[in-house]
Short mmCIF file of all heavy atoms in Angstrom, two decimals:
data_model
loop_
_atom_site.label_atom_id
_atom_site.label_comp_id
_atom_site.label_asym_id
_atom_site.label_seq_id
_atom_site.Cartn_x
_atom_site.Cartn_y
_atom_site.Cartn_z
N ASN F 2 -6.84 147.90 99.52
CA ASN F 2 -6.72 146.49 99.55
C ASN F 2 -6.00 146.01 98.35
O ASN F 2 -6.56 145.94 97.25
CB ASN F 2 -8.10 145.83 99.67
CG ASN F 2 -8.03 144.38 99.87
OD1 ASN F 2 -6.98 143.83 100.16
ND2 ASN F 2 -9.15 143.67 99.75
N LYS F 3 -4.72 145.75 98.50
CA LYS F 3 -3.95 145.27 97.41
C LYS F 3 -3.30 143.93 97.73
O LYS F 3 -2.93 143.67 98.90
CB LYS F 3 -2.84 146.26 96.97
CG LYS F 3 -1.73 146.47 97.88
CD LYS F 3 -0.75 147.40 97.26
CE LYS F 3 0.46 147.58 98.24
NZ LYS F 3 1.41 148.50 97.74
N ASN F 4 -3.17 143.08 96.77
CA ASN F 4 -2.56 141.77 96.95
C ASN F 4 -1.11 141.88 96.73
O ASN F 4 -0.66 142.24 95.70
CB ASN F 4 -3.26 140.77 96.00
CG ASN F 4 -2.80 139.38 96.17
OD1 ASN F 4 -2.27 139.03 97.26
ND2 ASN F 4 -2.83 138.59 95.16
N ILE F 5 -0.33 141.51 97.79
CA ILE F 5 1.11 141.54 97.65
C ILE F 5 1.55 140.12 97.22
O ILE F 5 1.49 139.18 98.02
CB ILE F 5 1.82 141.99 98.93
CG1 ILE F 5 1.41 143.45 99.25
CG2 ILE F 5 3.31 141.85 98.80
CD1 ILE F 5 2.06 143.96 100.52
N ASP F 6 1.97 139.98 95.97
CA ASP F 6 2.47 138.73 95.41
C ASP F 6 3.85 138.97 94.83
O ASP F 6 4.40 140.08 94.92
CB ASP F 6 1.48 138.14 94.41
CG ASP F 6 1.21 139.10 93.28
OD1 ASP F 6 1.88 140.11 93.12
OD2 ASP F 6 0.23 138.80 92.51
N LEU F 7 4.46 137.95 94.22
CA LEU F 7 5.79 138.09 93.62
C LEU F 7 5.83 139.16 92.56
O LEU F 7 6.82 139.88 92.48
CB LEU F 7 6.29 136.79 93.09
CG LEU F 7 6.69 135.75 94.20
CD1 LEU F 7 7.10 134.43 93.53
CD2 LEU F 7 7.81 136.27 95.10
N ALA F 8 4.80 139.25 91.79
CA ALA F 8 4.77 140.27 90.72
C ALA F 8 4.77 141.68 91.29
O ALA F 8 5.43 142.59 90.86
CB ALA F 8 3.56 140.10 89.83
N THR F 9 3.99 141.86 92.41
CA THR F 9 3.93 143.18 93.10
C THR F 9 5.34 143.49 93.65
O THR F 9 5.75 144.66 93.55
CB THR F 9 2.90 143.12 94.25
OG1 THR F 9 1.64 142.70 93.72
CG2 THR F 9 2.79 144.45 94.92
N ILE F 10 6.02 142.54 94.30
CA ILE F 10 7.32 142.78 94.81
C ILE F 10 8.30 143.12 93.70
O ILE F 10 9.05 144.12 93.86
CB ILE F 10 7.82 141.54 95.60
CG1 ILE F 10 6.90 141.22 96.76
CG2 ILE F 10 9.26 141.66 96.02
CD1 ILE F 10 6.99 142.14 97.91
N MET F 26 10.43 144.70 104.12
CA MET F 26 9.73 144.09 105.24
C MET F 26 8.28 144.21 105.02
O MET F 26 7.72 145.27 104.59
CB MET F 26 10.10 144.82 106.58
CG MET F 26 9.58 144.14 107.79
SD MET F 26 10.37 144.63 109.33
CE MET F 26 10.22 146.40 109.38
N LEU F 27 7.54 143.11 105.27
CA LEU F 27 6.15 143.02 105.08
C LEU F 27 5.42 142.63 106.37
O LEU F 27 5.97 142.08 107.28
CB LEU F 27 5.78 141.85 104.08
CG LEU F 27 6.39 141.94 102.65
CD1 LEU F 27 6.04 140.67 101.87
CD2 LEU F 27 5.97 143.21 101.91
N HIS F 28 4.15 143.05 106.40
CA HIS F 28 3.29 142.58 107.55
C HIS F 28 3.32 141.06 107.57
O HIS F 28 3.33 140.38 106.49
CB HIS F 28 1.86 143.10 107.35
CG HIS F 28 0.97 142.87 108.52
ND1 HIS F 28 0.32 141.65 108.66
CD2 HIS F 28 0.63 143.57 109.55
CE1 HIS F 28 -0.44 141.73 109.76
NE2 HIS F 28 -0.22 142.91 110.36
N ASN F 31 0.90 139.31 105.19
CA ASN F 31 1.28 139.33 103.75
C ASN F 31 2.48 138.45 103.48
O ASN F 31 2.53 137.84 102.42
CB ASN F 31 1.63 140.82 103.40
CG ASN F 31 0.45 141.77 103.45
OD1 ASN F 31 0.45 142.72 104.20
ND2 ASN F 31 -0.56 141.47 102.69
N PHE F 32 3.41 138.40 104.38
CA PHE F 32 4.62 137.59 104.20
C PHE F 32 4.18 136.09 104.09
O PHE F 32 4.63 135.35 103.18
CB PHE F 32 5.65 137.85 105.27
CG PHE F 32 6.88 137.03 105.10
CD1 PHE F 32 7.87 137.45 104.27
CD2 PHE F 32 7.08 135.81 105.79
CE1 PHE F 32 9.07 136.75 104.06
CE2 PHE F 32 8.29 135.09 105.58
CZ PHE F 32 9.26 135.58 104.74
N LYS F 34 1.35 134.78 103.31
CA LYS F 34 0.59 134.56 101.99
C LYS F 34 1.63 134.40 100.88
O LYS F 34 1.41 133.66 99.94
CB LYS F 34 -0.42 135.60 101.73
CG LYS F 34 -1.59 135.60 102.62
CD LYS F 34 -2.54 136.79 102.33
CE LYS F 34 -3.53 136.93 103.39
NZ LYS F 34 -4.30 138.22 103.20
N LEU F 35 2.65 135.14 100.94
CA LEU F 35 3.70 135.23 99.85
C LEU F 35 4.49 133.91 99.83
O LEU F 35 4.78 133.40 98.75
CB LEU F 35 4.58 136.41 100.01
CG LEU F 35 5.59 136.70 98.90
CD1 LEU F 35 4.85 137.09 97.64
CD2 LEU F 35 6.52 137.82 99.32
N VAL F 36 4.82 133.40 100.94
CA VAL F 36 5.72 132.22 101.06
C VAL F 36 4.98 130.89 101.27
O VAL F 36 5.62 129.86 101.34
CB VAL F 36 6.80 132.42 102.10
CG1 VAL F 36 7.68 133.57 101.79
CG2 VAL F 36 6.23 132.54 103.48
N ILE F 53 13.59 139.62 101.67
CA ILE F 53 12.25 140.09 102.15
C ILE F 53 12.02 139.32 103.44
O ILE F 53 12.17 138.12 103.50
CB ILE F 53 11.14 139.74 101.10
CG1 ILE F 53 11.47 140.43 99.77
CG2 ILE F 53 9.84 140.16 101.67
CD1 ILE F 53 10.63 139.97 98.62
N SER F 62 1.97 148.11 108.59
CA SER F 62 0.50 147.85 108.36
C SER F 62 0.36 146.79 107.32
O SER F 62 1.20 146.58 106.46
CB SER F 62 -0.16 149.11 107.91
OG SER F 62 -0.07 150.15 108.83
N GLU F 63 -0.75 146.12 107.39
CA GLU F 63 -1.11 145.10 106.39
C GLU F 63 -1.18 145.75 105.03
O GLU F 63 -1.62 146.88 104.83
CB GLU F 63 -2.42 144.44 106.72
CG GLU F 63 -2.61 143.10 105.99
CD GLU F 63 -3.70 142.29 106.54
OE1 GLU F 63 -4.34 142.68 107.59
OE2 GLU F 63 -3.89 141.14 106.04
N ASP F 64 -0.72 145.07 104.01
CA ASP F 64 -0.66 145.51 102.60
C ASP F 64 0.32 146.69 102.39
O ASP F 64 0.16 147.42 101.42
CB ASP F 64 -2.06 145.90 102.10
CG ASP F 64 -3.00 144.72 102.14
OD1 ASP F 64 -2.55 143.56 101.92
OD2 ASP F 64 -4.23 144.92 102.36
N GLU F 65 1.34 146.82 103.26
CA GLU F 65 2.35 147.85 103.16
C GLU F 65 3.69 147.16 102.92
O GLU F 65 3.94 146.13 103.50
CB GLU F 65 2.36 148.72 104.40
CG GLU F 65 3.32 149.81 104.40
CD GLU F 65 3.28 150.69 105.71
OE1 GLU F 65 2.17 150.93 106.09
OE2 GLU F 65 4.37 150.91 106.28
N ILE F 66 4.56 147.80 102.12
CA ILE F 66 5.93 147.37 101.97
C ILE F 66 6.88 148.40 102.50
O ILE F 66 6.78 149.58 102.13
CB ILE F 66 6.21 147.11 100.45
CG1 ILE F 66 5.30 146.05 99.87
CG2 ILE F 66 7.69 146.66 100.27
CD1 ILE F 66 5.37 145.93 98.33
#
Side-chain angles (χ1 to χ4, degrees):
N2 187 12
K3 69 178 182 180
N4 183 23
I5 296 180
D6 57 11
L7 287 177
T9 305
I10 297 289
M26 188 163 55
L27 303 175
H28 186 274
N31 293 121
F32 184 81
K34 289 176 192 171
L35 187 65
V36 298
I53 302 167
S62 300
E63 197 166 0
D64 299 327
E65 181 180 314
I66 301 173

